[in-house]
């Protein structure tokens, strides 16, 4: 069944009782569980000021990094009379993410925002939701082969290239670097690594000594970083391509009193403090504080039939305490 026919069936079921009893009209108009169609297949839906939507947000894991996004999303939701259902696996877990999507589809939420752990594996379930009349958007990491309506975030290949530039500048074109990243199958992680390595290999003499994947586990990130430092004690800089690796580096730098460059992605209060205290040299922020608001705004647009841009670029900014480590 197409998204358009699914919507028509719901609309017919909605209008029939209205034609029989006008008193039902006001009650149905405020139904918070009704599902609105994707914008690409249906005309805009006119809703009253009292209309409420229920939107789902699915993170790849539970982590303080996502708490800021949730807070801003909740504020935007309150202003738009929207109810949010926020879900996340304890640690990065593809199967749990798929089950959370399935549950939201069964509950007939009015829209879903997901940060997909695996772009390819999530594509069929994203398509299932869209084909069933539920708009889906991606944020932070994309699933471009799916029928998602938009991607909120940055160009992660460009983000990786920018990280390479920062390393190039501070290491003066040569040195030895350790790298840790997140989940191996996550598109944003792959693109950041690719962008950085392409820049370093083509433009510098900087050598990447080792790359490890923490798979979303904080304990694994700590263990991997400590093992890499023990194996390569003369490294010049560390790059955490995800916020889990960045958080791990703060703990290790504090414990070991290291005076080496350290870079990461994602600006959180913890990261800001670490920059002030010298545990981190630089962080690339994708204006994550805006994501929650944009998620709600875009889902409202989709639920009401407005066209979304395929890429909602939040931009990139470097926050630095850069100098001699």
């Amino acid at each position: 069944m197409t998204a358009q026919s699914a919507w028509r069936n719901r609309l017919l079921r909605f209008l029939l009782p209205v034609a029989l009893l006008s008193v039902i009209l006001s009650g149905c108009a405020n139904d918070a569980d009704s599902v609105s169609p994707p914008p690409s297949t249906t005309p805009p839906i006119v809703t009253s000021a009292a209309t409420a939507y229920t939107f789902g947000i699915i993170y790849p894991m539970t982590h303080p990094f996502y708490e800021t996004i949730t807070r801003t999303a909740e504020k935007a939701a309150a202003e738009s009379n929207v109810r949010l259902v926020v879900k996340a696996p304890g640690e990065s877990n593809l199967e749990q993410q798929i089950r959370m999507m399935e549950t939201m589809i069964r509950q007939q939420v009015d829209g879903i925002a997901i940060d997909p752990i695996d772009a390819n594996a999530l594509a069929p379930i994203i398509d299932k939701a869209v084909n069933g009349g539920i708009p889906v958007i991606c944020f932070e990491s994309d699933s471009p082969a799916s029928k998602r309506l938009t991607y909120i975030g940055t160009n992660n290949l460009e983000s990786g290239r920018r990280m390479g530039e920062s390393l190039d500048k501070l290491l003066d074109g040569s040195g030895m670097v350790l790298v840790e990243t997140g989940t191996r199958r996550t598109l944003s992680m792959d693109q950041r690594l690719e962008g950085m390595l392409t820049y370093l290999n083509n433009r510098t003499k900087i050598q990447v000594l080792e790359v490890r994947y923490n798979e979303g586990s904080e304990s694994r990130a700590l263990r991997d970083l400590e093992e890499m430092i023990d194996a390569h004690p003369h490294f010049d800089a560390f790059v955490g391509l995800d916020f889990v690796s960045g958080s791990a580096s703060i703990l290790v730098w504090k414990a070991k009193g290291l005076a080496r460059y350290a870079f990461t992605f994602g600006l959180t209060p913890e990261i800001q403090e670490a920059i002030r205290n010298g545990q981190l040299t630089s962080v690339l922020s994708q204006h994550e504080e805006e994501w929650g608001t944009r998620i709600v705004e875009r889902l409202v647009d989709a639920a009401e039939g407005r066209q979304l841009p395929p890429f909602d670029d939040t931009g990139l900014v470097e926050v630095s305490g850069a100098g001699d480590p």
Side-chain angles (χ1 to χ4, degrees):
M1 180 182 296
T2 65
Q4 186 172 11
S5 59
W7 173 71
R8 282 204 189 102
N9 289 339
R10 291 188 181 91
L11 186 60
L12 287 173
R13 289 198 298 270
F14 174 78
L15 291 177
L16 183 58
V18 174
L20 297 175
L21 289 173
S22 60
V23 71
I24 299 177
L25 180 62
S26 60
C28 291
N30 294 324
D31 185 1
D33 295 324
S34 62
V35 177
S36 302
S40 59
T41 59
T42 59
I45 301 169
V46 178
T47 58
S48 71
T51 299
Y53 296 113
T54 298
F55 296 145
I57 300 177
I58 303 177
Y59 297 123
M61 70 188 78
T62 301
H63 193 275
F65 175 80
Y66 295 112
E67 292 176 2
T68 299
I69 302 170
T70 300
R71 284 195 297 270
T72 56
E74 288 174 342
K75 181 179 178 181
E79 294 171 354
S80 300
N81 196 25
V82 164
R83 174 176 173 261
L84 294 181
V85 179
V86 180
K87 299 290 184 181
E91 289 188 348
S92 181
N93 187 297
L94 174 61
E95 289 71 24
Q96 287 185 29
Q97 236 191 4
I98 291 173
R99 286 198 296 271
M100 290 168 182
M101 279 284 291
E102 291 279 10
T103 298
M104 289 185 182
I105 292 171
R106 287 196 301 270
Q107 292 172 341
Q108 291 287 278
V109 297
D110 300 294
I112 299 171
I114 184 167
D115 183 347
I117 292 172
D118 186 324
N120 294 325
L122 266 298
I125 191 68
I126 290 173
D127 292 352
K128 178 180 178 180
V130 174
N131 290 337
I134 301 175
V136 179
I137 65 176
C138 293
F139 64 97
E140 186 178 24
S141 192
D142 198 8
S143 179
S146 73
K147 294 182 179 180
R148 59 92 176 125
L149 303 183
T150 190
Y151 160 60
I152 299 172
T154 61
N155 181 327
N156 281 291
L157 280 169
E158 174 62 17
S159 298
R161 189 192 69 80
R162 284 280 299 276
M163 182 63 77
E165 284 185 341
S166 295
L167 284 166
D168 186 11
K169 180 180 178 181
L170 288 182
L171 296 181
D172 198 21
S174 68
M176 296 178 290
V177 178
L178 302 176
V179 178
E180 185 162 18
T181 184
T183 304
R184 190 180 299 269
R185 296 169 294 182
T186 301
L187 182 60
S188 60
M189 298 294 103
D190 291 342
Q191 290 176 331
R192 288 176 192 173
L193 181 61
E194 179 184 351
M196 184 184 72
L197 292 179
T198 298
Y199 180 92
L200 295 180
N201 292 336
N202 293 336
R203 304 285 294 275
T204 77
K205 296 180 180 179
I206 294 173
Q207 179 184 4
V208 175
L209 299 173
E210 192 171 353
V211 178
R212 292 206 184 186
Y213 293 81
N214 59 54
E215 300 297 339
S217 168
E218 293 182 284
S219 59
R220 180 169 175 175
L222 279 168
R223 183 175 67 251
D224 285 350
L225 181 51
E226 289 175 340
E227 289 176 358
M228 285 193 293
I229 290 172
D230 288 343
H232 309 283
H234 301 299
F235 76 102
D236 298 296
F238 168 74
V239 177
L241 292 175
D242 70 319
F243 51 82
V244 175
S245 301
S247 295
S249 71
I250 294 171
L251 296 176
V252 172
W253 261 237
K254 286 180 179 179
K256 294 181 177 289
L258 289 176
R260 312 287 174 86
Y261 293 119
F263 304 79
T264 193
F265 280 84
L267 193 61
T268 65
E270 176 195 29
I271 296 296
Q272 289 176 317
E273 182 181 359
I275 288 176
R276 289 193 297 267
N277 294 339
Q279 284 100 25
L280 282 174
T281 309
S282 177
V283 58
L284 285 177
S285 169
Q286 304 168 76
H287 297 287
E288 298 87 0
E289 71 280 1
E290 298 179 11
W291 289 358
T293 301
R294 292 212 193 183
I295 285 169
V296 173
E297 289 175 347
R298 293 308 187 192
L299 286 176
V300 169
D301 287 342
E304 297 186 352
R306 289 185 282 273
Q307 190 71 34
L308 304 188
F311 177 29
D312 192 352
D313 190 356
T314 57
L316 194 66
V317 62
E318 183 174 7
V319 179
S320 177
D324 292 334

